[in-house]
Amino acid sequence: LVVPALISMNFFKTIKGQLLSGWGIGTLLSFIGMAISYKLDLPAGAVLVTLFTSVPILFLPLILKKA
């Protein structure tokens, strides 16, 4: 799970902040993906991969804006 670490590294500078936010983001995205998978009767793996791929793309403007 690289995505939560990637996102949290851009918003938090301390290791503790990165770790806690990475865990939170990963947990939240996993729950959202499983809920979408359940509601739409789609394969969980495909939904999670799509979600974990699309979220960094959506956060890209925020990441580039900070740089």
Side-chain angles (χ1 to χ4, degrees), residues 1-46:
L1 298 172
V2 175
V3 172
L6 175 71
I7 294 170
S8 66
M9 282 176 45
N10 287 297
F11 293 108
F12 296 94
K13 297 301 174 201
T14 65
I15 296 294
K16 183 179 179 181
Q18 292 173 0
L19 184 63
L20 292 175
S21 67
W23 284 345
I25 292 168
T27 303
L28 181 66
L29 289 178
S30 295
F31 278 123
I32 291 170
M34 295 304 257
I36 291 171
S37 171
Y38 178 76
K39 287 285 188 183
L40 300 177
D41 195 27
L42 296 170

